[in-house]
Amino acid sequence: MATAISVSPAPAAAAVARPPTLVCVPATARAPREMAAELAAAAALGADVAELRLDRLAGFAPRRDLPVILADPRPLPALVTYRPKWEGGEYEGDDEPRFEALMLAMELGAEYVDIELKVADKFIGLLSGKKPDNCKLIVSSHNFENTPSTEELANLVAQIQATGADIVKIVTTATEIVDVARMFQILVQCQEKQVPIIGLVMNDRGLISRILCPKYGGYLTFGSLEKGRESAPAQPTAADLINLYNIRQIGPDTKVFGIIGKPVGHSKSPILHNEAFRSVGFNAVYVPFLVDDLAKFLNTYSSPDFVGFSCTIPHKEAAVRCCDEVDPIARDIGAVNTMVRRPDGKLVGYNTDYVGAISAIEDGIRASQPTDPTTSPLAGRLFVVIGAGGAGKALAYGAKEKGARVVIANRTFARAQELANLIGGPALTLADLENYHPEEGMILANTTAIGMHPNVNETPLSKQALTSYAVVFDAVYTPKETRLLREAAECGAIVVSGLEMFIRQAMGQFEHFTGTPAPDRLMRDIVLAKT
Ligand code: NAP
């Protein structure tokens, strides 16, 4: 049963007074000098703190090694952690030598020391009030199984506070993305009570906890020095936190957008939209949402702060059912790739794939031929779609809406017939297509993955058959010029690249998200640089 949690940041007044969320880079080298070098590297990245993971050091001798790692002047404030195996670290010995090392780190000026809740009373007892004033004690609790209920998390905060901790740290594990909402609620509660808290949720379903914590007042978030050097599952790099997600700009009023998919890690949309938002000064962040159950996700993140979503495989069809209102053609296509929350809270669904593809083809024709500006250059033309999947439907319905006569050809003929029946046109097999030439001036749109990288030598139609077409579009955009487009151009056709569709669908999303024109040049440059 989905818990409807509407997460909102604490009131702005409380938020203004709070310090910005720190970016902390874990230093995980095996040798003290390398660890010291990691501090310098973290500083160069623009991090605020470095976490020295003493349990990672091979043959660690505190009195010999700590002065090396904590040498003055330090490039960054140091958070010293000596994590035992029973709390997810690598230290296997007794507590006493561990405590002594942490106390030595305090003496040497460490700005933060982390101690696990289970032994916090013992450690604090040993300190007997001798903690230096400039050192903050973080009392931490790690849950590698799941994320408990909000009530249990609140109890945990109280338990940690009762130890006398300066900073509460709770790290849990996400089994689904909705778990993170409970951590956001705890961050908000702590912010209201002015309790400094680090609250993060591990693994790829918990990634948004690491990016959005500044919105909810988290004290600190971790970012690795580089990919492959994470200290916890799915930790982003500090460079991505700072440069891609613009974490320094995230505050209570920052609007949240993102791409919903499964998988979603490969998506270039965060790069594209975050840079576009930044270029127009839009106070928003765009994140990847790894979602298993779309309805549950939307019910949970239902606050006005979660304003817009791109939607990709496998959720485009479910998105139609989850929206309160759907653009009529998106409903016909049966796929929504863009959702926007209106000020009244209602979710409206659009399909910018079809708008992007059709406008790209129209503009391609207009750029090469004199056309009547009052009608679509597709009107009345015979428009052949190869493929009957998501992109095929988008092209078929889009072309039909513009007054084209649409023909569907597909490998699985039954699917061609099904789509052709829906849009009211004929269906062909791929073999039929080789000799299909009922008239001049036909338009061809490939919506299969044939010819996509790495199979760049494949093509859905022979060069001979291409001579029948005046315009050829390919939804495939890696490579930018497919074999189909190259041969079509050699046959004298107007060619339109799938990259144009990709850019335009993203620009369409930007416009739905922001209500302002998309930065055309910038978005093109980013897409061209990344593909
Ligand atoms: P989809 O729903 O899985 O549909 C795939 C279609 O391709 C089906 O009709 C399938 O035929 C056909 N097909 C697949 N492999 C084939 C093969 N070896 N020979 C003949 N037909 C084959 O996928 P989709 O979401 O529509 O995406 C299709 C392509 O469009 C992908 O390359 C995708 O990258 C591209 N696309 C581009 C953009 C853009 O912005 N440029 C946007 C969306 C999609 P059967 O019915 O016989 O299986």
Side-chain angles (χ1 to χ4, degrees):
M1 182 44 200
T3 329
I5 301 171
S6 182
V7 202
S8 280
V16 167
R18 72 177 203 222
T21 301
L22 304 175
V23 174
C24 178
V25 170
T28 55
R30 295 288 178 196
R33 285 199 191 285
E34 284 172 29
M35 196 173 267
E38 285 180 321
L39 248 75
L45 279 177
D48 305 297
V49 188
E51 181 187 36
L52 310 177
R53 285 292 301 263
L54 303 184
D55 52 302
R56 301 270 306 177
L57 290 167
F60 175 49
R63 296 219 164 262
R64 180 195 64 197
D65 298 336
L66 274 177
V68 174
I69 309 168
L70 290 169
D72 252 345
R74 265 194 302 286
L76 279 182
L79 189 174
V80 176
T81 301
Y82 201 179
R83 193 73 76 220
K85 207 148 191 161
W86 48 261
E87 187 86 354
E90 296 189 14
Y91 178 79
E92 292 192 85
D94 294 335
D95 278 339
E96 279 67 25
R98 196 163 72 85
F99 291 171
E100 278 166 24
L102 290 174
M103 290 198 286
L104 177 60
M106 283 182 174
E107 273 172 42
L108 292 170
E111 285 80 358
Y112 302 90
V113 162
D114 177 310
I115 190 75
E116 303 74 28
L117 172 63
K118 276 181 204 151
V119 293
D121 284 340
K122 210 164 132 194
F123 180 69
I124 291 168
L126 210 66
L127 270 178
S128 57
K130 290 199 294 271
K131 180 172 78 70
D133 288 343
N134 69 338
C135 182
K136 289 192 165 67
L137 186 67
I138 299 172
V139 175
S140 60
S141 163
H142 297 78
N143 180 330
F144 296 95
E145 304 288 317
N146 55 29
T147 301
S149 68
T150 315
E151 197 182 8
E152 286 168 297
L153 288 173
N155 288 340
L156 191 54
V157 170
Q159 212 185 326
I160 292 177
Q161 273 189 283
T163 63
D166 295 309
I167 298 168
V168 172
K169 180 181 176 194
I170 298 178
V171 180
T172 62
T173 298
T175 55
E176 48 185 344
I177 193 167
V178 295
D179 295 345
V180 182
R182 299 198 288 285
M183 188 61 85
F184 288 155
Q185 285 195 317
I186 291 300
L187 292 186
V188 171
Q189 285 175 15
C190 283
Q191 201 192 332
E192 282 164 357
K193 296 179 196 150
Q194 303 203 337
V195 176
I197 179 170
I198 302 167
L200 299 169
V201 186
M202 290 184 285
N203 97 22
D204 43 10
R205 285 168 175 75
L207 174 64
I208 60 168
S209 72
R210 300 179 179 278
I211 302 168
L212 299 181
C213 53
K215 183 171 172 64
Y216 300 100
Y219 187 88
L220 175 153
T221 187
F222 293 92
S224 68
L225 209 46
E226 57 188 31
K227 267 201 174 2
R229 290 170 80 172
E230 301 80 14
S231 64
Q235 194 173 73
T237 62
D240 276 355
L241 286 174
I242 295 168
N243 304 322
L244 166 59
Y245 298 112
N246 305 317
I247 198 159
R248 307 285 190 209
Q249 268 66 54
I250 299 178
D253 299 330
T254 301
K255 300 291 181 202
V256 181
F257 295 82
I259 178 156
I260 297 172
K262 184 185 170 184
V264 77
H266 64 286
S267 172
K268 301 281 180 249
S269 294
I271 300 174
L272 190 58
H273 285 290
N274 280 314
E275 273 200 52
F277 288 165
R278 185 161 38 184
S279 75
V280 298
F282 187 55
N283 183 9
V285 59
Y286 187 102
V287 297
F289 293 116
L290 178 53
V291 170
D292 301 285
D293 181 331
L294 182 64
K296 199 168 170 185
F297 169 84
L298 292 170
N299 281 336
T300 303
Y301 296 99
S302 58
S303 87
D305 291 299
F306 287 77
V307 193
F309 310 101
S310 309
C311 214
T312 188
I313 291 167
H315 296 306
K316 284 186 185 184
E317 286 81 22
V320 179
R321 296 189 292 279
C322 289
C323 287
D324 298 295
E325 283 175 27
V326 177
D327 164 79
I329 298 175
R331 186 174 291 287
D332 283 345
I333 294 168
V336 154
N337 79 330
T338 310
M339 289 187 272
V340 180
R341 195 183 308 285
R342 280 198 318 228
D344 65 3
K346 296 232 183 309
L347 267 186
V348 187
Y350 304 93
N351 186 313
T352 64
D353 282 339
Y354 92 81
V355 180
I358 296 297
S359 72
I361 298 170
E362 286 180 325
D363 287 351
I365 298 171
R366 285 191 185 112
S368 307
Q369 293 174 350
T371 51
D372 174 358
T374 60
T375 54
S376 166
L378 305 188
R381 308 270 293 257
L382 198 62
F383 193 104
V384 178
V385 177
I386 312 181
K393 277 188 190 155
L395 267 292
Y397 277 100
K400 187 188 171 197
E401 201 238 347
K402 296 290 182 179
R405 292 168 291 129
V406 181
V407 177
I408 311 293
N410 193 45
R411 175 178 63 181
T412 307
F413 184 60
R415 286 187 82 194
Q417 280 179 309
E418 199 183 322
L419 179 55
N421 285 342
L422 284 172
I423 56 161
L428 301 175
T429 64
L430 291 184
D432 292 337
L433 205 56
E434 281 297 323
N435 300 306
Y436 186 70
H437 189 182
E439 62 187 57
E440 299 303 317
M442 298 193 297
I443 301 170
L444 180 73
N446 172 48
T447 70
T448 73
I450 302 172
M452 188 164 94
H453 187 82
N455 304 314
V456 293
N457 288 324
E458 292 179 5
T459 187
L461 201 60
S462 71
K463 190 171 177 183
Q464 172 60 34
L466 284 179
T467 54
S468 308
Y469 293 89
V471 182
V472 175
F473 164 80
D474 198 345
V476 172
Y477 60 94
T478 49
K480 181 173 181 241
E481 188 188 55
T482 57
R483 179 176 161 194
L484 175 72
L485 292 187
R486 190 176 66 247
E487 293 185 345
E490 285 164 6
C491 295
I494 297 167
V495 295
V496 180
S497 163
L499 205 57
E500 196 57 37
M501 169 181 176
F502 179 76
I503 292 168
R504 287 172 185 237
Q505 63 79 25
M507 294 198 328
Q509 292 193 328
F510 180 94
E511 291 176 9
H512 283 302
F513 291 158
T514 64
T516 59
D520 185 320
R521 188 72 265 149
L522 176 97
M523 291 181 83
R524 279 173 192 282
D525 288 348
I526 298 168
V527 170
L528 290 173
K530 305 289 173 198
T531 46

